[in-house]
Amino acid sequence: MSSGNASVIELSNISLIVDGQVILKDISWKVDPGEHWAVLGANGSGKTVMLKVVAGYLRPSEGTVKVLGNLFGTVDLRVLRRRIGWVSSALQENVPRRDRTIEVVLSGKYASLGLWNSPHARDRGRALGLLRLVGCEGVESRQFGTLSQGEQQKALIARALMPKPALLILDEPCIGLDPVAREDVLETIQRLTLRRDGPALVLVTHHLEEIVPAVSHVLVLKSGRVLAQGTKQEVLTEETIAEAFGRPFDVSEKEGRFWVRMR
């Protein structure tokens, strides 16, 4: 299955129409190797739906999709999805609460909820290493449901990394977290993006301050359409943010992070 120097993601004029309602309209977006992107927009702007198209869970009504050099319609999506890590609040809600954290991480290798396979010793070693990487050392024997929400999110990131994905999609990973837990998760994401052997990252959010410094580019959606895309400095302007969210904001940058204040 190809990748090499091919684009990580390439959407060409995709639209999605469901029951006569336009959900996505004429979206073109390209993610090249070495880039990390944030997808930004208000609630209902189409962020998660678009990424479900990227992961092959939704089929566009129009346009073409290529992921990791593979043209959809010519590739087994079940195989391709093993190279795409996904973390979302929906996943967090469906993980068996009594499973040991190490089992949750190991289940990522098999893309299962619950561990139904017998992992090799080397897989267990990798899982423990990933828990250390995301700052969750020492929780491997605890039941997943006893972890804090921030620890659960970091454990799910470790789970998504278990099969060594080439693309990692984090769909609002900080939702529901208190400020301290949020910053802890964002520091973990920042570390991952700086690793040379790490996957390309797509971070979905509607909070500018969650866009970590290592994210290089931003795509802004509004009502299922592309409002803006490009480098952070090009896109995260007061004019674009005001149009995206329907209210005027002051936007400032400090140490690679962007912050907003409603006027």
Side-chain angles (χ1 to χ4, degrees):
M1 185 171 290
S2 68
S3 66
N5 294 319
S7 298
V8 179
I9 299 171
E10 190 169 352
L11 306 182
S12 300
N13 305 112
I14 69 160
S15 295
L16 178 65
I17 302 171
V18 179
D19 295 331
Q21 181 179 1
V22 178
I23 308 299
L24 301 174
K25 179 63 175 177
D26 198 29
I27 292 179
S28 293
W29 177 40
K30 186 178 181 182
V31 176
D32 286 323
E35 296 177 349
H36 299 299
W37 283 71
V39 178
L40 183 72
N43 290 332
S45 59
K47 304 184 299 295
T48 297
V49 172
M50 184 190 71
L51 271 302
K52 285 183 177 180
V53 171
V54 169
Y57 293 112
L58 290 174
R59 182 176 180 178
S61 307
E62 301 173 358
T64 60
V65 180
K66 290 180 72 175
V67 175
L68 303 175
N70 298 279
L71 178 65
F72 283 20
T74 66
V75 63
D76 187 337
L77 292 177
R78 295 168 300 178
V79 177
L80 180 60
R81 286 193 201 105
R82 296 172 190 165
R83 304 182 62 207
I84 303 173
W86 185 297
V87 177
S88 69
S89 57
L91 173 62
Q92 185 179 21
E93 293 167 2
N94 286 293
V95 170
R97 316 305 285 177
R98 294 185 178 182
D99 279 8
R100 302 294 177 185
T101 303
I102 187 71
E103 295 171 341
V104 173
V105 177
L106 285 165
S107 71
K109 179 178 179 179
Y110 309 101
S112 63
L113 289 174
L115 185 62
W116 306 103
N117 303 76
S118 298
H120 297 289
R122 63 177 177 274
D123 293 329
R124 181 178 176 83
R126 174 168 172 77
L128 290 171
L130 289 171
L131 284 171
R132 287 194 296 271
L133 175 65
V134 301
C136 279
E137 188 173 10
V139 306
E140 61 272 8
S141 297
R142 289 174 55 188
Q143 292 184 0
F144 183 77
T146 69
L147 303 182
S148 70
Q149 195 167 357
E151 288 171 332
Q152 288 180 4
Q153 284 294 79
K154 291 191 290 183
L156 290 178
I157 292 173
R159 176 186 182 275
L161 294 172
M162 189 66 198
K164 301 181 181 179
L167 170 63
L168 177 63
I169 299 172
L170 302 180
D171 189 1
E172 299 194 27
C174 298
I175 191 168
L177 299 183
D178 65 47
V180 174
R182 184 186 72 168
E183 289 303 309
D184 194 23
V185 169
L186 292 176
E187 287 177 10
T188 297
I189 295 170
Q190 173 72 2
R191 287 199 307 273
L192 292 176
T193 56
L194 295 176
R195 290 173 61 92
R196 292 184 178 180
D197 60 346
L201 173 73
V202 174
L203 172 68
V204 182
T205 184
H206 51 263
H207 295 290
L208 270 71
E209 62 271 21
E210 293 179 1
I211 301 175
V212 297
V215 167
S216 55
H217 293 71
V218 178
L219 172 73
V220 182
L221 294 180
K222 181 180 181 181
S223 302
R225 294 164 171 81
V226 173
L227 177 61
Q229 61 178 303
T231 66
K232 286 185 297 188
Q233 287 71 23
E234 293 170 340
V235 172
L236 297 181
T237 65
E238 293 178 348
E239 294 76 15
T240 298
I241 300 308
E243 188 172 352
F245 292 95
R247 294 286 296 272
F249 290 89
D250 293 320
V251 178
S252 60
E253 181 183 1
K254 182 179 180 181
E255 298 178 351
R257 296 274 295 277
F258 284 78
W259 306 85
V260 296
R261 184 179 63 182
M262 188 179 297
R263 294 177 185 169

